[in-house]
Amino acid sequence: MLIDVAFLSDTFLKLSAALPVTLGLFISAFVCGGILAVGVLAMRMSRWPLLSGFAKGYILVFRGSPLLIQLFLIYYGLGQFGVIRHSFLWPLLREPFICAVLALSLCTAAYTAEILRGALLAVPHGQIEAGQACGMSRFLLLRRIIAPVMLRYALPAYSTEAILLVKSTALASLVTVWDVTGVAQQIIQRTYRTMEVFLCAAAIYLLLNFIIVQLYALLERKLTPHIRHAAGNVSLKPVTKGE
C-alpha cells in the first residue's frame, strides 16, 4: 500500500482549517462548565436538603446518561416547546454551535463538580483550623488555603476531564457543527478514503491533547514547588556499611 503524501498533506490542511471551531467548542464548554461546576459544588455541599438534593440529581442525570442523547435532546428536543420557540433564547438555541456548547457544558459540569468535591474533602482539616486560629475570615480562608490546596488535589483528575472534553467535541458534528470531525466526514463522502482522513483527524486531536497535558503539567509544577524542592533534596547516594 503506497502512502499518498499529497493527499495526506491536503487533508491535514483542510482539517486544520476547522480546528478553530473545535477549539471554540472546547474553550466555551470548558469555561462555562467550570463556572457551572462551582455552583453545583456549592449546592452539593450545602446544608439545605433541597439544594443538595437538586445537585445530586443533576450529577446523577448528566453523569448517568450518554452525552450523545443529551446533545440530541437539546438540539432536537428544545424546539418542540412553544415557550422556548417564542422566547428571546430561541435565536441562540436554534444554532447548532450553541446547542453543542450547552450540552458539553452541562455534562462536563457534573463531572467537574464531583472532581472538585473530592478535592475539597481531601483538604487537611488541620490547615483550615490553623487559618481560623489566625483570625482569617471565610473568604480569606477560602482564597488563601482551601482553594489553592483543592486545586492542587483536583488537577490530575481535572486534566483527564479536559482531555475527555476535547474528544467529546467530535459529537458536535452530528448536529451539523463543522469541526475537525465534521469536515473529516465531508472529505470521506467525497473521496471514500476513510483510513487516511481519520488518521489525519486523530493526529490533530492527539496533538491538541498533548498540548493540554503539557499545560496542566506546567500548572501543576507551578502549584507544587515544595514537592519538587523536596524531591531535589533527597539524596540518591547509596548508603554503605559504616556510614
Side-chain angles (χ1 to χ4, degrees):
M1 178 180 175
L2 297 178
I3 299 177
D4 192 342
V5 178
F7 176 78
L8 290 176
S9 302
D10 182 65
T11 300
F12 192 85
L13 290 176
K14 289 179 179 178
L15 295 180
S16 298
L19 188 57
V21 178
T22 296
L23 288 175
L25 287 170
F26 167 69
I27 295 174
S28 301
F30 184 81
V31 173
C32 295
I35 295 173
L36 181 58
V38 174
V40 175
L41 173 65
M43 290 189 291
R44 179 71 175 81
M45 303 301 293
S46 175
R47 296 180 179 178
W48 293 3
L50 184 62
L51 291 179
S52 61
F54 174 81
K56 290 178 182 178
Y58 174 89
I59 293 172
L60 175 63
V61 169
F62 283 95
R63 288 206 310 169
S65 58
L67 175 57
L68 180 60
I69 294 179
Q70 298 170 22
L71 178 60
F72 283 164
L73 286 175
I74 292 175
Y75 182 67
Y76 295 109
L78 293 181
Q80 304 297 319
F81 299 96
V83 176
I84 295 179
R85 285 200 311 273
H86 296 94
S87 69
F88 68 95
L89 294 174
W90 182 240
L92 294 176
L93 294 177
R94 68 184 180 185
E95 294 295 329
F97 184 89
I98 299 298
C99 290
V101 169
L102 180 59
L104 291 169
S105 300
L106 292 173
C107 185
T108 192
Y111 287 94
T112 303
E114 281 297 279
I115 291 173
L116 295 178
R117 187 176 73 91
L120 179 61
L121 295 177
V123 176
H125 192 66
Q127 296 185 14
I128 300 176
E129 291 180 341
Q132 292 173 338
C134 293
M136 289 185 177
S137 63
R138 286 188 175 183
F139 177 76
L140 186 60
L141 187 66
L142 176 64
R143 184 172 66 88
R144 297 291 298 273
I145 296 179
I146 298 177
V149 175
M150 182 179 70
L151 181 59
R152 287 199 294 267
Y153 284 134
L155 270 181
Y158 200 22
S159 64
T160 302
E161 175 59 24
I163 292 172
L164 292 175
L165 181 59
V166 171
K167 295 188 290 186
S168 298
T169 59
L171 295 176
S173 62
L174 299 177
V175 292
T176 68
V177 176
W178 304 121
D179 62 335
V180 173
T181 303
V183 174
Q185 292 174 346
Q186 288 182 325
I187 297 174
I188 291 172
Q189 290 173 1
R190 294 194 303 265
T191 63
Y192 299 99
R193 302 176 71 166
T194 305
M195 181 66 72
E196 296 97 323
V197 176
F198 277 146
L199 281 177
C200 291
I204 291 176
Y205 283 111
L206 183 62
L207 179 61
L208 185 57
N209 283 327
F210 175 78
I211 294 174
I212 292 175
V213 168
Q214 296 305 312
L215 290 176
Y216 269 96
L218 178 62
L219 180 59
E220 191 171 359
R221 287 195 296 269
K222 291 291 185 180
L223 291 177
T224 56
H226 58 286
I227 295 178
R228 291 186 289 112
H229 292 160
N233 294 330
V234 174
S235 176
L236 298 180
K237 179 181 177 181
V239 177
T240 59
K241 186 176 182 179
E243 291 185 345

